[in-house]
Amino acid sequence: GAGVSQSPSNKVTEKGKDVELRCDPISGHTALYWYRQSLGQGLEFLIYFQGNSAPDKSGLPSDRFSAERTGGSVSTLTIQRTQQEDSAVYLCASSRIQGPSGNTIYFGEGSWLTVV
Amino acid sequence: AQSVSQHNHHVILSEAASLELGCNYSYGGTVNLFWYVQYPGQHLQLLLKYFSGDPLVKGIKGFEAEFIKSKFSFNLRKPSVQWSDTAEYFCAVNDTNAGKSTFGDGTTLTVKP
């Protein structure tokens, strides 16, 4: 597609339930990021995928959070046993590492997660 | 590991005032530098970027930034701000070896009409 696509755009879930957030990056972009942005807060790095390399999971806040990227394209962020503090906007972004616009990051519109 | 520091968390200016937002990074290797902007209710978008060449780069809406390698800085400037510049501004540094980008914590700019 033309941009980074995320789904769902909004999700309300009950505390304790699992949620899956999906990201479809720009075609040909080998790098993919997940960030979290809470109300009035900056960007919190969660995880970074680059090609076939092992992902950088250093930002995942707990073992309830996991992410995978299948076939080097679509990524899913999974939050198990959601807590109210998980409520935030989850942003996906992608970039091409090589080429004229290499390393410019393009963001999706985000998935708004509310845990009640 | 690289880090990015934005010194001002919240800046409040009147229209027509000049703007300078600080950004410093800690990484000794080759970097690409970016400023991103997030207008209220919108998603993050690129404002300007530096890859190589002239260290003074021009972006959209009259913004510019200067890369000073010796100071590890990439400050964002605009001579005369408008109310519509109210937004959150993020500085980002890309490690060209590892490919990964790191963002600063962001600066919220409020421009009073």
Side-chain angles (χ1 to χ4, degrees), chain B residues 20-21 23-35 48-58 64-77 91-94 96:
Chain B
E20 181 160 3
L21 301 182
C23 174
N24 285 88
Y25 64 94
S26 64
Y27 181 68
T30 303
V31 295
N32 294 329
L33 300 160
F34 305 82
W35 277 95
L48 50 76
K49 61 187 178 185
Y50 170 80
F51 284 175
S52 63
D54 188 345
L56 182 63
V57 293
K58 307 282 188 182
E64 65 179 31
E66 184 174 12
F67 171 45
I68 303 179
K69 188 174 181 179
S70 60
K71 295 185 178 180
F72 296 89
S73 70
F74 190 56
N75 292 355
L76 180 70
R77 301 194 293 248
C91 179
V93 175
N94 177 266
T96 58

Side-chain angles (χ1 to χ4, degrees), chain A residues 33 37 48 56 102-103 105, chain B residues 32 36 38 51 94 99-101:
Chain A
Y33 301 76
Q37 190 173 31
Y48 167 67
D56 177 350
N103 305 330
I105 291 179
Chain B
N32 294 329
Y36 289 83
Q38 187 173 30
F51 284 175
N94 177 266
K100 181 184 171 185
S101 291

Side-chain angles (χ1 to χ4, degrees), chain A residues 55-101:
Chain A
D56 177 350
K57 303 180 181 180
S58 60
L60 294 178
S62 76
D63 59 7
R64 296 187 295 106
F65 289 73
S66 63
E68 62 177 21
R69 189 177 185 190
T70 55
S73 181
V74 172
S75 177
T76 302
L77 177 69
T78 301
I79 309 172
Q80 296 178 309
R81 304 181 302 281
T82 52
Q83 303 295 314
Q84 287 185 329
E85 60 262 29
D86 299 335
S87 297
V89 178
Y90 289 82
L91 295 170
C92 179
S94 70
S95 72
R96 186 194 305 273
I97 298 301
Q98 296 176 347
S101 66

